[in-house]
């Protein structure tokens, strides 16, 4: 049996998920210039919000997903207002912001683990009855098709918003130079707050999609974050389109890597890629 | 009484980890999030040598130091090129790779099963079987490492490290090869962490990969940031505080698994609060 088509499909799906995380990470990095290590936990928050809404409270699945995405967005927005905004006002260095986000990540992961135990849970409604499509010698599940469509649609919408709207221009202005943006009358803190909301909501969606595809657990955030960060660095940090390209490249390398080596080494492979890029191409493949 | 000795031993171990990490983070200003990796290397060296080959404790400690030194040399070669947030990220990556090796190189490390039945240390015919004797041994190690660290930071070597922290470009212009200095301090710090690892393995007599995660590195980081960066005494204070406070949770009567997450939650909150209100820690001299 030819395994390559399946590997390609797996790579694309992994790439789609990573690009959702990388999109938000890059948006936030662009606007604030610090590595937000708490970004991955937003995915966990989104996943568990849907778990509570649909499985515990019995909401309709569509409603739960929308509320779950909003919930992740609001948590991100709240964190900006409670932690990062006061730090920015004090002109804290980006290392302080990084350590603070490390603290946020540590604390949030612990809260989720206390509330929901460290058990692995799935969001899928009817386990084992999903429709499966065959593409040549490869198979793809319905959930995975939805993941692909959702992430492509989202990327298109985000691209449109950033390019064509006043809000998008304001985000670009803040990313280019926050001081100047402030001088020409942009309320930069408000814009950064929105960026946190959007970025976290997209990460939340990534967590939810993973929950439907495989499942959620409290520690999933770190792994996702790292993949998103690695993808961002491959594509050039702060460059959201580069991040998407980096995500698909990372997906390919990981999935083809485990073709010859066993699957447990996926994370290590990802980091080897990171270190190679940091050494030889620290500004990413699309070096400006 | 046994319980207090147990806590004292934990304090000594974390004090060693804190003091050694402070050399890199506090004095040299490099935010390393990979200390648990070297802690793990020391622990695995002692565990494997003692269970498989019945190597005496002191020799296994020395081998642990050499192995940790070797790995940290390789990592340091890469890491020394970076600074700031990229350093933090790349070092975190090394922790993930090392953890992945502990977990997945099952033919040597026995993977998630861990290694049991590690012998208590025996030096010159004295078997450190009682916890009190063990505490004495660990305390001697701490005093030694404290002394070495003290000597290092007050020597001209230490002054160069601080200069690198304050302004690497300037000290390069003065003709110092900063890459070498960063590498040397990283290797020394890693070797000290390996000693703590060896002590830990022979004290608990069982180790598994879950002790040497990124989260553990964050705990150690929290200890030194709380105590104060660039202050060796501060790291001891931080270790004391962060060992004792979670123990109080035990008396509240929380179940064991929840208590673990409460500890994690607490560390996260401490990091956030410190960054917001006192980024130099309790008695630190340097702010990130």
């Amino acid at each position: 049996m030819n395994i390559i088509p399946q590997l390609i499909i797996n790579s694309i799906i992994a790439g789609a998920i990573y690009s959702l995380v990388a999109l938000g990470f890059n948006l936030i990095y662009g606007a604030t210039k610090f590595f937000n290590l708490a970004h991955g936990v937003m995915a966990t928050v989104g996943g568990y919000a849907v778990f509570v809404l649909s499985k515990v409270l019995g909401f309709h699945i569509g409603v739960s997903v929308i509320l779950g995405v909003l919930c992740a967005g609001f948590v991100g927005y709240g964190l900006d207002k409670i932690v990062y905004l006061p730090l920015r006002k004090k002109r804290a260095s980006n290392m302080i912001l990084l350590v603070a986000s490390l603290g946020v990540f540590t604390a949030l992961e612990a809260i989720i683990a206390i509330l929901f135990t460290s058990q692995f849970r799935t969001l899928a409604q009817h386990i084992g009855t999903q429709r499966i499509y065959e593409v040549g010698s490869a198979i793809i599940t319905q959930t995975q098709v939805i993941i692909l469509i959702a992430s492509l649609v989202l990327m298109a919408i985000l691209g449109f918003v950033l390019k064509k709207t006043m809000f998008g221009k304001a985000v670009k202005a803040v990313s280019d130079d926050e001081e100047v943006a402030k001088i020409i009358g942009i309320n930069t803190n408000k814009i950064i707050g929105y960026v946190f909301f959007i970025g976290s909501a997209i990460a939340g969606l990534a967590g939810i999609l993973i929950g439907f595809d495989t499942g959620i657990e409290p520690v999933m955030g770190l792994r996702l974050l790292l993949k998103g960060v690695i993808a961002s660095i491959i594509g050039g940090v702060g460059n959201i389109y580069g991040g998407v390209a980096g995500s698909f490249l990372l997906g390919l390398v990981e999935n083809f890597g485990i073709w010859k080596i066993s699957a447990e080494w996926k994370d290590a492979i990802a980091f080897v890629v990171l270190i190679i890029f940091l050494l030889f191409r620290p500004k990413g493949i699309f070096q400006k | 009484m046994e319980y207090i000795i147990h806590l004292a031993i934990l304090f000594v171990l974390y004090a060693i980890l804190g003091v050694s990490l402070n050399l890199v983070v506090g004095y040299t200003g490099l935010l390393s999030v990979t200390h648990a990796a070297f802690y793990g290397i020391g622990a695995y060296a002692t565990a494997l040598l003692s269970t498989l080959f019945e190597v005496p404790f002191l020799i296994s400690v020395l081998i642990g130091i050499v192995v940790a030194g070797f790995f940290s040399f390789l990592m340091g070669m890469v890491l020394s090129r970076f600074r700031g947030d990229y350093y933090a990220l790349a070092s975190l990556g090394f922790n993930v790779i090392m953890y992945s090796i502990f977990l997945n190189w099952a033919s040597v490390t026995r993977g998630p099963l861990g290694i049991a039945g590690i012998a208590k240390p025996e030096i010159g015919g004295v078997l450190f079987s009682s916890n009190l004797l063990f505490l004495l041994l660990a305390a001697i190690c701490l005093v030694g490492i404290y002394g070495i660290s003290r000597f290092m930071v007050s020597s001209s070597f230490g002054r160069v490290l601080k200069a690198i922290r304050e302004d690497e470009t300037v000290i390069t212009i003065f003709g110092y090869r900063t890459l070498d200095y960063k590498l040397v301090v990283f290797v020394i710090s890693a070797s000290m962490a390996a000693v703590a690892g060896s002590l830990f393995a022979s004290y608990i007599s069982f180790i598994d990969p879950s002790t040497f995660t990124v989260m553990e590195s964050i705990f150690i980081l929290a200890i030194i940031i709380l105590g104060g960066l660039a202050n060796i005494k501060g790291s001891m204070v931080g270790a004391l505080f962060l060992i004792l406070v979670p123990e109080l949770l035990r008396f509240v009567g929380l179940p064991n698994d929840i208590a673990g997450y409460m500890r994690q939650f607490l560390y996260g909150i401490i990091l956030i609060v410190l960054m917001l209100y006192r980024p130099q820690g309790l008695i630190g001299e340097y702010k990130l």
Side-chain angles (χ1 to χ4, degrees), chain A:
Chain A
M1 195 188 108
N2 190 358
I3 197 173
I4 291 178
Q6 187 67 55
L7 284 177
I8 291 176
I9 284 185
N10 291 353
S11 312
I12 294 174
I13 293 159
I17 295 275
Y18 298 162
S19 56
L20 289 181
V21 182
L23 275 176
F25 180 81
N26 276 326
L27 264 181
I28 295 174
Y29 182 87
T32 57
K33 302 288 180 288
F34 83 98
F35 283 138
N36 178 16
L37 297 184
H39 190 62
V41 185
M42 298 304 128
T44 326
V45 169
Y48 275 94
V50 172
F51 174 76
V52 171
L53 290 164
S54 73
K55 294 247 163 142
V56 181
L57 300 175
F59 278 47
H60 181 266
I61 198 73
V63 179
S64 314
V65 169
I66 293 169
L67 289 178
V69 170
L70 290 177
C71 177
F74 277 114
V75 171
Y77 183 80
L79 284 172
D80 177 49
K81 294 296 172 225
I82 300 168
V83 181
Y84 307 127
L85 178 62
L87 284 173
R88 281 203 304 279
K89 281 193 172 151
K90 287 185 189 171
R91 312 207 152 264
S93 69
N94 56 1
M95 294 300 276
I96 290 194
L97 282 155
L98 186 146
V99 174
S101 74
L102 209 56
V104 170
F105 151 70
T106 313
L108 274 184
E109 188 186 286
I111 295 176
I112 292 171
I114 291 171
L115 290 177
F116 301 101
T117 74
S118 50
Q119 207 185 334
F120 190 79
R121 296 172 197 274
T122 176
L123 297 178
Q125 299 278 299
H126 315 286
I127 298 154
T129 57
Q130 294 206 50
R131 210 183 279 178
I132 288 172
Y133 304 96
E134 283 185 33
V135 189
S137 61
I139 53 164
I140 180 166
T141 66
Q142 197 179 13
T143 317
Q144 291 170 332
V145 174
I146 296 173
I147 291 179
L148 274 181
I149 294 172
S151 43
L152 290 177
V153 168
L154 214 118
M155 281 176 227
I157 295 176
L158 192 71
F160 176 79
V161 168
L162 289 177
K163 267 247 151 66
K164 300 287 177 191
T165 62
M166 277 307 279
F167 171 74
K169 293 199 172 97
V171 171
K172 187 153 188 342
V174 175
S175 305
D176 282 347
D177 194 325
E178 201 190 328
E179 288 302 314
V180 175
K182 212 178 262 170
I183 291 165
I184 60 166
I186 296 172
N187 185 344
T188 55
N189 285 331
K190 200 166 124 193
I191 296 289
I192 292 178
Y194 292 157
V195 164
F196 265 96
F197 181 88
I198 296 173
S200 307
I202 301 174
L205 179 67
I208 295 167
L209 292 174
I210 292 175
F212 282 110
D213 187 26
T214 52
I216 49 176
E217 53 183 334
V219 293
M220 69 192 265
L222 179 67
R223 177 175 299 157
L224 259 186
L225 166 86
L226 296 174
K227 298 300 165 62
V229 177
I230 295 172
S232 306
I233 288 180
I234 294 176
V237 184
N239 172 353
I240 65 163
Y241 306 104
V244 172
S247 300
F248 285 103
L249 186 70
L250 179 64
L252 273 175
V253 174
E254 262 188 10
N255 282 287
F256 277 85
I258 61 170
W259 185 14
K260 296 288 178 201
I261 318 168
S262 81
E264 299 92 49
W265 296 99
K266 231 182 200 175
D267 294 349
I269 295 173
F271 268 100
V272 172
V273 173
L274 169 72
I275 283 153
I276 292 173
F277 264 88
L278 282 177
L279 277 178
F280 299 109
R281 204 84 197 194
K283 294 232 156 46
I285 22 178
F286 307 111
Q287 223 156 18
K288 276 184 211 161

Side-chain angles (χ1 to χ4, degrees), chain B residues 65 83 100 105 118 126 157 170 181 222 279:
Chain B
I65 290 176
R83 59 177 91 168
S100 187
W105 195 17
I118 304 158
V126 185
F157 180 77
V170 168
Y181 279 86

